[in-house]
Structure formats: C-alpha cells, structure tokens
C-alpha cells in the first residue's frame, strides 16, 4: 500500500499531534510505502534522517509534484481539521478518486467546537463540512472522543495512538510516603486537573497524615502560573507542587522518582500521548485491570500467575504485595469513608 500522511506540525514537544504524527510515519514505513507532507513547512528534527518527508512549499503547493507513487497514493490520512491547505489538497485527491480518512485529534468534539465558535461555524459552513463529509471515515482515538463528536455523522472507527513500552521498570516504592505524578499539558478542564485538585482538597487531611504528595509537570493552555494559583486558592501548597514541562530522559527520571502515575483526561481512556508510555510500574493484564486503573488513576496489582525462576517469582511476589498495599492505602485515603481511627 502507498500511504500519504497530511499534517501541519512543528518541533513543539508539548504538542500531541506534533509528537505522535512522526511516530505514525516512522513505524508504518516498516510495513508499507509511506510519505509525509507537512503543510507547516517547519523542518522536523525527529524526521531529518527519514526518507519521503516533504514540505508544502517544497512541492509548490501542489501534490501532483510529489514523486511517484505518492502523487497518487492508495490512501491519504489527514491529521487535524482546520488547516487551510487541506482544502486544496482534498479537492485534488477527490478528482483523482483517492480515498482519505481524517484523524481529528479531538477537533470535532463538542468542547473543541466551542473554541472560537463563530469562526468554526462559518468555516464549517463554507469549507470544512464538505471536507469532513467526503472522508471515507473518521478515526477517533477513543470511544469517548467518538461520542463527544456525535454532531458529525460520518462513518467512523476507533483506534488509539501507539506507544512504546520502555524496558525500564520501577521496582522500589516509597516506604513512608506516597508520591503521585502527573506529566502532561496544563489544560485544566480538558485534562480534568480541576477535578484532581478538588479531590486533593477533600482528601487534604488524610494526605497530610499519610504523607501523600502530588507533583504536576506541564506547560500549555493555562500555564504553570495559573495551576499554582489554583493550588493556592485551595490551600494545597503542602501536598501539591506545580513544575514546568519535562521531556525525554528528564521526563522518565521524574516519573520513576514517584510511585503512581496519574493519567488525567476527560476525552480519552488512559494512554500516553506523544507515542511514549510512562516507565512501567506494573502492566495491565486484563481489560478489568485497565478499567480499574482508569477509575482510580492507579496501576493495577500484577496478576499472580508469574513464570520464571524461583528468584524472579519471589521478587515479583514482593512487588505484588507492595502493589496491594499501595492500592489499599490509596483506596482508603480517597474513599468517602475516613480511614479507621481518623475523626
């Protein structure tokens, strides 16, 4: 298959689309003939050694100038919606009877449509409704995103972003405290950070007693200062700390320093954006485990059926026991009922 990815990305490491699209391209290139056309014209560092990477100005804004077979691919994948260059591109490929799908990356949800609402209503009416309607299908990243995009009646399917599973695993947890960490965008309502902070306010007394701390790392929409103001307003300075963004090896190091990774998002089930999973603390073994982790923002206790040497089994049994203790403590602390002995 000959596949063409259309996008508008930069080297901004805090942008989900700019992180995940190069990973789509690189990994799909192992199994098919794949090209990428960046309408932003920004040279992408992650792709500087890759072949079949093109820029919109480089082809004189005409996909006919792409080399064969990418000037007439079997399928085109558009990442995002509101890119003006997409209009001329999709009109070209319609004339060639080339099918295309759209991955909106959240752009079609009801919440997203409220941002710059008047501009989007007009843009949809004049340009983008036809672009969306003519797609063979819409690829949503989760069932929740699909449901929140129900105003758009296209055929659709659900396929999440891929992730790398790092070999690094956390095996030693804090003994006298519990450290939780969030790494992601500071988009308060999109990520549900307001709910997280409200939960910490309700559990504040128990967090102090049990030495629980939450570390937030991020950048973006509202920004670090706004998050600090929210923490201060709720008097959570002793238990919640806000930090700037971390990337690459520094991100992994900060996650490993903590005990539990918090995955907060209103529109998607747990997964790491940008193509990289958090360093493994414990694996999901069943869909029930994943749902439990989603509801509690915890990593599940490992399944007891371990294989390997006696030494490995003993080590994993210790991890299993530590995981049960952590889960029990968190469930007790954040439940509606106060722990025994707490008045």
């Amino acid at each position: 298959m000959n596949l063409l990815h259309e996008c508008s990305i930069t080297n901004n490491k805090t942008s989900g689309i700019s992180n995940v699209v190069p990973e789509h391209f690189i990994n799909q290139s192992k199994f098919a003939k794949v090209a990428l056309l960046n309408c932003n014209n920004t040279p992408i560092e992650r792709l500087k050694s890759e072949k079949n990477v093109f820029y919109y100005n480089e082809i004189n804004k005409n996909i006919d100038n792409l080399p064969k077979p990418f000037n007439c691919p079997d399928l085109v994948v558009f990442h995002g919606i509101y890119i003006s260059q997409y209009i001329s591109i999709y009109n070209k490929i319609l004339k060639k009877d080339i099918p295309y799908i759209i991955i909106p990356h959240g752009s079609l949800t009801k919440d997203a449509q409220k941002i710059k609402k008047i501009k989007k209503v007009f843009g949809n009416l004049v340009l983008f409704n036809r672009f969306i309607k003519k797609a063979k299908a819409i690829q949503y990243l989760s069932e929740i995103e699909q449901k929140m995009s129900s105003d758009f009646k296209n055929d659709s399917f659900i396929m999440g972003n891929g992730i790398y599973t790092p070999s690094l695993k956390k095996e030693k947890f804090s003994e006298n405290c519990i450290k939780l960490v969030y790494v992601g965008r500071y988009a308060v309502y999109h990520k549900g950070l307001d709910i997280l902070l409200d939960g910490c306010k309700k559990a504040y007394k128990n967090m102090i007693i049990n030495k629980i701390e939450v570390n937030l790392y991020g950048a973006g929409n509202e920004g670090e200062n706004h998050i600090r103001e929210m923490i201060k307003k709720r008097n959570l300075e002793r238990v919640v700390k806000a930090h700037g963004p971390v990337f690459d090896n520094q991100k992994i190091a900060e996650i490993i320093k903590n005990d539990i990774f918090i995955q907060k998002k209103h529109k998607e089930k747990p997964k790491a954006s940008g193509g990289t999973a958090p360093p493994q603390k414990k694996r999901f073994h069943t869909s029930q485990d994943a749902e439990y982790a989603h509801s509690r923002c915890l990593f599940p206790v490992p399944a007891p059926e371990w294989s390997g040497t006696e030494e490995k089994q003993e080590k994993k049994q210790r991890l299993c026991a530590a995981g049960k203790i952590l889960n029990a403590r968190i469930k007790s602390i954040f439940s509606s009922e106060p722990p025994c002995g707490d008045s």
Side-chain angles (χ1 to χ4, degrees):
M1 172 177 272
N2 302 313
L3 181 64
L4 176 63
H5 283 277
E6 301 278 355
C7 60
S8 181
I9 60 175
T10 66
N11 292 304
N12 181 3
K13 290 185 177 182
T14 65
S15 163
I17 296 181
S18 294
N19 276 280
V20 78
V21 170
E23 302 305 329
H24 275 289
F25 167 73
I26 291 169
N27 285 281
Q28 288 177 353
S29 296
K30 299 173 183 176
F31 307 101
K33 291 183 178 179
V34 185
L36 183 145
L37 177 60
N38 187 8
C39 295
N40 185 273
N41 296 308
T42 299
I44 304 302
E45 288 296 314
R46 180 76 175 89
L47 300 174
K48 62 183 180 182
S49 61
E50 300 293 329
K51 297 179 180 178
N52 299 326
V53 177
F54 306 99
Y55 296 91
Y56 197 57
N57 287 346
E58 182 181 89
I59 61 167
N60 294 319
K61 304 179 181 181
N62 188 343
I63 63 167
D64 289 338
N65 294 326
L66 286 169
K68 294 181 179 181
F70 303 117
N71 59 346
C72 192
D74 298 310
L75 179 68
V76 176
V77 180
F78 288 94
H79 292 271
I81 301 287
Y82 299 103
I83 311 298
S84 60
Q85 294 92 333
Y86 286 2
I87 302 305
S88 62
I89 293 171
Y90 100 91
N91 280 320
K92 277 272 186 183
I93 65 177
L94 281 179
K95 291 177 182 177
K96 295 184 177 186
D97 200 27
I98 299 169
Y100 67 90
I101 66 171
I102 298 172
I103 308 178
H105 295 276
S107 297
L108 298 182
T109 63
K110 290 178 173 64
D111 287 347
Q113 289 294 305
K114 291 176 183 176
I115 300 171
K116 300 180 181 178
K117 183 176 180 179
I118 295 175
K119 185 177 180 180
K120 283 182 179 173
V121 168
F122 181 76
N124 288 343
L125 186 65
V126 176
L127 296 172
F128 293 102
N129 278 343
R130 185 171 180 267
F131 168 55
I132 296 165
K133 185 177 180 180
K134 290 291 183 179
K136 286 293 182 184
I138 305 293
Q139 178 187 332
Y140 294 111
L141 302 179
S142 71
E143 184 180 352
I144 297 173
E145 184 192 358
Q146 185 184 49
K147 287 179 179 178
M148 292 186 71
S149 306
S150 59
D151 289 346
F152 297 87
K153 306 298 183 183
N154 291 61
D155 289 339
S156 63
F157 62 97
I158 298 167
M159 184 180 293
N161 290 323
I163 60 172
Y164 292 111
T165 304
S167 57
L168 187 62
K169 297 181 183 180
K170 182 179 178 70
E171 297 185 347
K172 187 176 180 181
F173 294 84
S174 304
E175 295 181 1
N176 300 317
C177 62
I178 300 176
K179 298 178 180 179
L180 298 91
V181 62
Y182 163 84
V183 181
R185 278 193 299 128
Y186 283 151
V188 172
Y189 302 108
H190 181 80
K191 296 290 187 179
L193 295 177
D194 55 325
I195 297 172
L196 174 65
L197 295 178
D198 288 342
C200 290
K201 184 177 180 180
K202 290 179 181 179
Y204 180 78
K205 184 178 178 181
N206 288 328
M207 291 179 74
I208 293 291
I209 292 170
N210 292 277
K211 298 180 181 178
I212 297 175
E213 63 181 62
V214 178
N215 286 293
L216 309 176
Y217 293 88
N221 303 45
E222 281 81 7
E224 190 178 337
N225 290 335
H226 181 61
I227 298 296
R228 287 205 175 100
E229 288 173 9
M230 293 179 69
I231 293 169
K232 185 176 181 180
K233 184 178 179 181
R234 291 165 174 80
N235 297 312
L236 295 173
E237 293 94 334
R238 288 182 63 186
V239 294
V240 183
K241 309 292 183 185
H243 311 273
V246 287
F247 306 106
D248 306 323
N249 291 335
Q250 186 185 1
K251 177 174 70 174
I252 294 172
E254 293 300 334
I255 293 174
I256 284 290
K257 280 166 53 178
N258 292 272
D259 301 308
I260 297 171
F261 182 84
I262 303 171
Q263 182 67 52
K264 291 293 294 176
K265 198 155 192 177
H266 279 169
K267 297 182 179 64
E268 298 179 16
K269 291 184 179 180
K271 66 175 179 293
S273 60
T276 304
Q280 292 181 349
K281 294 175 175 64
K282 299 176 178 66
R283 294 178 183 271
F284 294 151
H285 289 269
T286 66
S287 59
Q288 288 80 10
D289 282 342
E291 288 299 325
Y292 175 75
H294 182 219
S295 64
R296 289 287 179 179
C297 295
L298 298 177
F299 286 86
V301 176
E305 297 81 10
W306 295 103
S307 59
T309 64
E310 290 185 7
E311 184 181 349
K312 285 183 178 179
Q313 286 193 22
E314 184 182 350
K315 184 177 183 181
K316 288 172 180 176
Q317 284 172 0
R318 290 199 303 270
L319 282 175
C320 183
K324 286 180 178 177
I325 292 169
L326 269 175
N327 278 356
R329 287 179 66 188
I330 291 292
K331 287 166 71 177
S332 173
I333 291 162
F334 285 96
S335 65
S336 55
E337 296 293 329
C340 293
D342 185 32
S343 57

